[in-house]
Amino acid sequence: MLLQVQDLTTYYKTIRGYVKAAEDVSFEINRGESLGLAGESGCGKTTVALSILRILPTNAKVIKGKILFDGLELLSLSEEEFREKIRWKGISIVFQGAMNALNPVYTIKDQIVEAILLHEKGTSKKEAEERAAKLFELVGIEPSRVNNYPHEFSGGMRQRAMIAMSLACNPKLVIADEPGTALDVIVAAQVFKLMKELKHKLNLAMILITHDLSIIAELCEKCLIMYAGYGVEYADVRSIFKNPLHPYTQGLIDAFPNIKAERRKISSIPGSPPNLLSPPTGCRFHPRCKYAMENCRRQTPTPTEVEPTHIVACHLYNKAG
Amino acid sequence: MEIIAEARNLRKWFPVRLGFLKTLFSKQSLFVRAVDDISLYILEKEILGLVGESGSGKTTTGRLMVRLLEPTGGQILFKGMDITHLQGEKLRTLRQKMQIVFQDPYESLNPRMTIGDIIAEPLRVLRLANDEKEIMERVYAILEDVQLTPPEEFTFRYPHELSGGQRQRVNIARAFVVNPEFIVADEPVSMLDVSTRAEILDLMTSLRDKYKTAFLYITHDLALTRHVCDRIAVMYLGKIAELGRTEDIIDNPLHPYTKALISAVPVPDPDSKRIEVTIKGEIPSPINIPPGCRFSTRCPSVMNICLEKEPELVEIEKERFVACHLWKK
């Protein structure tokens, strides 16, 4: 087991109260495995990622939960220890929006070298520069172009440079936050292909955060579907797509068109996601759920293993309730 | 069926602004050739999809069609009438017949106006109602049409009180309230959450059925196009690469660019054939358009002729147009 997240709960403090962005989120990732974290905007996907890397904004706080990475409890490490042992060397992140995530006034080389020197004390500047060039080769950009500034790169190349940067200190786990959005279809496909290749080559574990289920089908082995801060369904990718159990997952899959299959009607889930300042009681999906029962309004469903390795948080499958 | 809107050899070149000295000494002026000689038509009750990557000129085409931009060359026809150079009162009367729905529902509604005022504004500006009472009646009717009910409640709300999907319904209501015959929808669902996209598209198609409106639907999402459009035009660098009926384009693409575009779409099925990337690189700058075929720099089946001669859009089957040297009539 590489990463184990248990009952992670993160709230944001605002003047109007606490935004309950992530509640009791649990999942596990093995070495070389990739997990898709899917859901609509505002469901807490990015919050989970930021909590793992401990780069939450100052008004956010992990209320409870455990994050075990390679045997270490991440939440109890001191900031120094975390920076030295985990960030970039253990876990790195490719931020959303490749267009704007690089610093425009430094060359790409400077930015990669900075990361290496900061996280791997004792590396010489020359070694770091050589490594930056090698990383560029790895992601399919001409190594001499490390001396360029971000504005000299196209969108796809910037995303590749971001990926190169995330690999600078040989991490075991890379978190990719919406790697395809803001890129054109063909360029996005090139980036996904690269990520797939790198994953095999370097035996990387990956957390892929996206709202697009088809990318998860393409790249991941496991998937956690989130809704309004809760993980609602957790299983291997085949089960999620072939046998979705939670009504939200079913609705989400019905909303996706498939260009390579028979044309079928796509449908929406009525209503919109709740405001997390005052989420609905009980199951947070019940106001939009067509199977909602009396119990759903009152009681939060507990995640239950309905089939082996297929976990669902829904009263429909809770035999005891 | 009657042709509602038509573009003939339409061109839009935007001049590139250079510095003072460069303007003095450079021999030629540079242009962004956003739309470079395209011809297409939209039939009554039809939804024509305009697909392409960013920078291919689809939004410019849409804006030209409803005369929000002045074309550099070519003609725009509305129901057979040349409207390319229409001005003043005549253009204003025409606005009632053609409307546009913008991409971003968060930016395209005035935050200080109520929903009722936003939808009533076209009626007021174009003086389409006799009195306030009639305006409110029409606003209520259209709010019911876009399922923002009860309308009495929604007319007094402000945009920030609505979700993205509801705002896009307001945008659609604002376009439909003047009973247009032609609507340009510029990426109407790309900013919305996946779970609400389908209902907005359903709403558009049901309104099309009810009011018999023709649509130009601009999008980069090929998978969704299939559920909405009757015909598709694929654009690349300001030109149409392929045009035909939706099923033909999706099931049997002929142009190498269309093929690449379709094979690059990820599929929500772990057992399905994986995405393939058949072409390299990114779309070139529309300032320096490659000579010959514009796609030749990325095309996997490039031939000698492609580097020299630009292929024309030819009809190779009935209602099937391709601009590629591989396909000759």
Side-chain angles (χ1 to χ4, degrees):
Chain A
M1 188 83 54
L2 183 66
L3 177 79
Q4 189 177 12
V5 176
Q6 254 175 30
D7 302 328
L8 179 71
T9 302
T10 305
Y11 289 175
Y12 290 84
K13 192 180 174 183
T14 69
I15 42 168
R16 287 189 291 164
Y18 285 99
V19 174
K20 301 161 191 81
E23 299 245 34
D24 291 327
V25 177
S26 305
F27 59 85
E28 296 165 357
I29 299 172
N30 289 317
R31 233 168 258 275
E33 192 175 51
S34 51
L35 169 96
L37 212 54
E40 294 173 274
S41 44
C43 73
K45 319 180 284 274
T46 303
T47 301
V48 169
L50 300 183
S51 305
I52 294 172
L53 266 172
R54 296 196 15 190
I55 44 175
L56 284 162
T58 44
N59 65 335
K61 202 168 179 262
V62 176
I63 305 290
K64 69 175 173 108
K66 262 193 206 157
I67 303 173
L68 289 166
F69 177 77
D70 236 0
L72 283 169
E73 217 298 306
L74 297 190
L75 293 173
S76 55
L77 288 181
S78 75
E79 182 53 38
E80 261 95 280
E81 269 183 298
F82 191 83
R83 194 194 313 132
E84 254 165 49
K85 290 182 183 156
I86 306 297
R87 211 174 279 146
W88 231 299
K89 278 166 89 175
I91 311 174
S92 66
I93 184 164
V94 178
F95 284 107
Q96 187 173 3
M99 294 313 220
N100 309 313
L102 290 161
N103 190 333
V105 298
Y106 290 103
T107 62
I108 312 269
K109 183 177 78 186
D110 287 345
Q111 300 184 47
I112 298 181
V113 167
E114 184 190 10
I116 297 174
L117 294 181
L118 199 69
H119 293 275
E120 287 186 14
K121 301 261 157 66
T123 321
S124 76
K125 196 161 177 221
K126 194 154 170 286
E127 275 168 18
E129 282 174 3
E130 275 164 17
R131 209 144 100 199
K134 281 224 179 76
L135 285 165
F136 259 45
E137 219 175 330
L138 189 69
V139 298
I141 314 178
E142 178 61 37
S144 64
R145 295 203 62 179
V146 286
N147 295 313
N148 283 144
Y149 287 91
H151 75 266
E152 297 172 272
F153 279 12
S154 66
M157 283 167 73
R158 274 183 236 181
Q159 187 63 284
R160 281 168 194 267
M162 289 290 294
I163 293 172
M165 209 159 144
S166 74
L167 300 174
C169 301
N170 302 313
K172 297 184 182 106
L173 171 70
V174 173
I175 302 175
D177 194 354
E178 301 274 11
T181 36
L183 298 178
D184 276 318
V185 198
I186 292 175
V187 180
Q190 291 164 351
V191 168
F192 298 146
K193 194 174 159 224
L194 170 74
M195 286 171 57
K196 222 167 164 174
E197 285 165 6
L198 289 174
K199 192 182 142 230
H200 287 295
K201 217 187 219 164
L202 309 171
N203 196 28
L204 274 180
M206 227 157 56
I207 298 180
L208 187 77
I209 300 174
T210 179
H211 66 278
D212 191 342
L213 284 180
S214 28
I215 298 170
I216 290 179
E218 207 65 58
L219 288 172
C220 300
E221 283 103 46
K222 280 201 295 202
C223 180
L224 174 70
I225 307 277
M226 287 187 70
Y227 183 77
Y230 279 97
V232 294
E233 186 159 1
Y234 176 51
D236 62 285
V237 164
R238 272 209 93 217
S239 311
I240 291 276
F241 283 96
K242 299 291 169 185
N243 182 27
L245 296 177
H246 197 283
Y248 178 63
T249 316
Q250 292 168 356
L252 213 52
I253 287 173
D254 285 342
F256 268 96
N258 182 343
I259 203 166
K260 281 164 197 147
E262 287 283 292
R263 177 168 163 171
R264 62 170 170 82
K265 203 168 158 33
I266 51 167
S267 48
S268 289
I269 305 171
S272 46
N275 181 345
L276 294 179
L277 272 168
S278 48
T281 53
C283 171
R284 286 186 181 174
F285 186 59
H286 85 254
R288 298 174 78 186
C289 182
K290 56 182 168 186
Y291 306 108
M293 305 172 288
E294 192 43 45
N295 199 15
C296 304
R297 269 171 265 276
R298 282 184 276 117
Q299 212 183 343
T300 309
T302 35
T304 332
E305 193 159 12
V306 178
E307 283 161 27
T309 73
H310 194 152
I311 296 169
V312 185
C314 177
H315 287 304
L316 286 175
Y317 304 96
N318 199 340
K319 281 165 195 114
Chain B
M1 258 199 287
E2 196 189 355
I3 291 176
I4 297 292
E6 188 178 356
R8 283 188 193 156
N9 305 100
L10 193 61
R11 270 190 296 127
K12 178 70 190 177
W13 292 11
F14 294 98
V16 179
R17 286 182 66 124
L18 299 169
F20 175 66
L21 283 176
K22 272 193 183 157
T23 323
L24 275 185
F25 296 112
S26 71
K27 288 170 200 85
Q28 73 204 59
S29 33
L30 293 173
F31 289 97
V32 172
R33 284 147 74 178
V35 174
D36 206 5
D37 195 352
I38 68 163
S39 300
L40 51 82
Y41 59 84
I42 298 128
L43 296 171
E44 186 185 0
K45 267 186 81 176
E46 183 188 46
I47 302 185
L48 174 71
L50 196 57
V51 186
E53 292 176 275
S54 45
S56 62
K58 19 183 225 306
T59 295
T60 308
T61 307
R63 296 196 169 182
L64 286 169
M65 293 296 284
V66 290
R67 286 290 317 274
L68 285 178
L69 287 172
E70 286 297 312
T72 312
Q75 271 183 309
I76 305 160
L77 288 90
F78 182 77
K79 292 176 108 179
M81 182 175 73
D82 189 338
I83 59 161
T84 326
H85 302 293
L86 226 50
Q87 289 297 341
E89 194 54 40
K90 279 185 181 153
L91 180 62
R92 193 136 74 139
T93 329
L94 191 78
R95 293 257 186 256
Q96 182 204 336
K97 304 271 202 287
M98 13 193 248
Q99 288 285 315
I100 185 163
V101 175
F102 293 103
Q103 176 171 15
D104 189 342
Y106 298 90
E107 300 277 331
S108 54
L109 299 174
N110 187 336
R112 301 175 68 158
M113 283 167 80
T114 62
I115 302 305
D117 281 335
I118 289 172
I119 298 174
E121 196 171 26
L123 296 174
R124 292 188 179 132
V125 171
L126 300 170
R127 298 189 201 96
L128 293 175
N130 295 321
D131 50 29
E132 269 311 291
K133 191 168 156 277
E134 194 190 332
I135 289 180
M136 277 344 270
E137 273 167 16
R138 284 180 73 169
V139 169
Y140 280 10
I142 202 75
L143 277 170
E144 300 235 345
D145 271 341
V146 299
Q147 291 147 30
L148 287 175
T149 47
E152 295 81 6
E153 195 191 314
F154 276 96
T155 41
F156 295 109
R157 293 222 200 153
Y158 284 90
H160 75 263
E161 298 172 69
L162 307 186
S163 68
Q166 287 174 324
R167 286 182 213 212
Q168 206 55 304
R169 284 169 194 271
V170 174
N171 257 323
I172 292 172
R174 175 171 63 182
F176 266 100
V177 75
V178 296
N179 290 326
E181 292 174 61
F182 173 49
I183 288 186
V184 171
D186 190 355
E187 304 255 20
V189 297
S190 69
M191 305 286 288
L192 302 180
D193 263 323
V194 189
S195 69
T196 49
R197 276 179 195 175
E199 60 187 41
I200 296 295
L201 294 177
D202 283 348
L203 175 71
M204 268 175 42
T205 37
S206 69
L207 285 175
R208 185 268 309 254
D209 295 341
K210 186 170 173 187
Y211 293 105
K212 305 197 173 16
T213 327
F215 266 95
L216 180 68
Y217 177 81
I218 299 170
T219 183
H220 67 280
D221 189 335
L222 260 170
L224 274 179
T225 328
R226 189 170 168 219
H227 295 267
V228 188
C229 302
D230 302 304
R231 287 188 302 140
I232 297 180
V234 181
M235 271 187 94
Y236 186 77
L237 264 185
K239 262 210 181 315
I240 293 176
E242 186 165 0
L243 195 155
R245 276 193 296 268
T246 305
E247 318 85 73
D248 293 341
I249 299 269
I250 302 280
D251 298 336
N252 180 28
L254 298 179
H255 197 287
Y257 177 62
T258 320
K259 279 185 191 164
L261 214 50
I262 289 173
S263 65
V265 177
V267 173
D269 179 355
D271 291 343
S272 160
K273 232 174 74 190
R274 290 302 152 112
I275 45 168
E276 288 165 47
V277 194
T278 44
I279 63 173
K280 283 200 182 119
E282 290 173 50
I283 192 163
S285 153
I287 300 175
N288 288 313
I289 290 180
C293 172
R294 305 166 178 233
F295 187 56
S296 60
T297 49
R298 301 168 79 192
C299 184
S301 348
V302 63
M303 304 173 292
N304 281 336
I305 184 173
C306 307
L307 304 175
E308 290 151 19
K309 197 167 162 261
E310 178 145 50
E312 277 179 39
L313 192 69
V314 285
E315 187 167 18
I316 56 153
E317 283 164 35
K318 196 170 181 295
E319 288 181 51
R320 189 75 196 270
F321 298 84
V322 186
C324 177
H325 289 301
L326 289 173
W327 299 94
K328 287 274 154 60
K329 202 173 177 178

